[in-house]
């Protein structure tokens, strides 16, 4: 979701009091002193978790100004951290928000329901920028929607690009839907490795739209030494 007009729609992701299963998984990666980047922070649930776990700094990238305003209203810790410099909020999209000042900066990069808005060429740039931003010991945790989507099953998404499985969805957004082989190949090309135990499909109810069942891939990727 890349437009403020969507902020008030019925998305579970925009509820500050809702938690996805992926967020519980990703939270285990957070630790005191970590430098964290979240791409598509939304209302800031993971930003708040990272700050609660005493992250040294959190950089949050989000295109929608209204939803980041809600983050600062919903989470007092995010509000105070934005004032003391522990939280930097960048209104924009990734990889446009990348800067060389982020080179080898982050211990953890998080991207939940955000990078599938990008077509393949932009995803290639996005993954490359994430790899540059991560320390060699860092981790990249992402959750992406698979081709097992109820929108596709019900015929409610209009095919835009068959080569990249891109569809115009009922909410007006264009998304890519993924086969796991495609995801892993794109990550490998960007210099990441993924252990078999770090790639998990999950059947989810109300993950993005509250009445929807869909399958998502949850992946923990790590930089390859030859990446």
């Amino acid at each position: 979701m890349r437009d403020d007009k969507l902020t008030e729609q019925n998305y579970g992701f925009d509820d500050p009091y809702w938690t996805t299963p992926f967020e519980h998984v990703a939270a285990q990666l957070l630790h005191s002193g970590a430098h964290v980047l979240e791409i598509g922070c939304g209302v800031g649930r993971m930003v708040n978790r990272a700050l609660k776990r005493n992250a040294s700094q959190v950089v949050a990238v989000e295109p929608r100004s209204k939803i980041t305003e809600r983050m600062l209203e919903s989470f007092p810790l995010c509000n105070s951290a934005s004032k003391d410099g522990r939280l930097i909020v960048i209104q924009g999209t990734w990889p446009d928000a990348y800067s060389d000042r982020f080179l080898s900066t982050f211990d953890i990069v998080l991207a939940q329901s955000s990078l599938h808005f990008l077509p393949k060429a932009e995803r290639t740039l996005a993954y490359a920028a994430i790899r540059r931003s991560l320390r060699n010991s860092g981790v990249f945790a992402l959750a992406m929607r698979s081709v097992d989507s109820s929108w596709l099953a019900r015929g409610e998404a209009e095919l835009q690009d068959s080569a990249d499985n891109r569809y115009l969805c009922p909410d007006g957004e264009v998304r890519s839907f993924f086969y796991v082989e495609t995801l892993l190949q794109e990550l490998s090309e960007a210099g990441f490795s993924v252990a078999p135990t770090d790639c998990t499909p999950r059947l989810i109810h109300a993950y993005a739209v509250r009445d929807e069942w869909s399958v998502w891939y949850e992946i923990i990727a790590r930089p390859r030494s030859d990446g």
Side-chain angles (χ1 to χ4, degrees), residues 87-216:
L87 170 60
I88 298 173
V89 179
I90 299 175
Q91 186 180 346
T93 58
W94 190 270
D96 293 342
Y98 175 78
S99 165
D100 285 342
R101 69 191 171 110
F102 296 143
L103 186 65
S104 299
T105 294
F106 300 107
D107 302 291
I108 303 161
V109 175
L110 305 170
Q112 177 178 216
S113 185
S114 57
L115 296 179
H116 57 198
F117 292 110
L118 304 178
K120 185 176 186 343
E122 291 182 39
R123 287 198 308 274
T124 297
L125 296 175
Y127 291 141
I130 290 167
R131 177 63 185 90
R132 292 196 301 273
S133 297
L134 270 173
R135 294 171 177 165
N136 288 335
S137 59
V139 294
F140 172 32
L142 69 158
M144 301 278 256
R145 188 191 298 260
S146 85
V147 294
D148 296 308
S149 167
S150 60
W151 279 335
L152 300 186
R154 295 194 300 257
E156 295 176 354
E158 180 183 338
L159 182 64
Q160 301 286 296
D161 179 358
S162 58
D164 192 21
N165 285 315
R166 286 185 69 71
Y167 289 81
L168 175 63
C169 300
D171 61 0
E173 290 291 337
V174 177
R175 294 172 173 84
S176 293
F177 296 94
F178 291 93
Y179 293 98
V180 68
E181 296 83 4
T182 303
L183 262 179
L184 296 177
Q185 180 63 33
E186 290 184 3
L187 290 169
S188 178
E189 290 171 356
F192 290 99
S193 63
V194 180
T197 53
D198 286 334
C199 180
T200 305
R202 191 187 295 273
L203 177 64
I204 294 293
H205 178 247
Y207 209 45
V209 180
R210 288 199 172 99
D211 64 349
E212 179 190 67
W213 286 93
S214 56
V215 176
W216 289 65

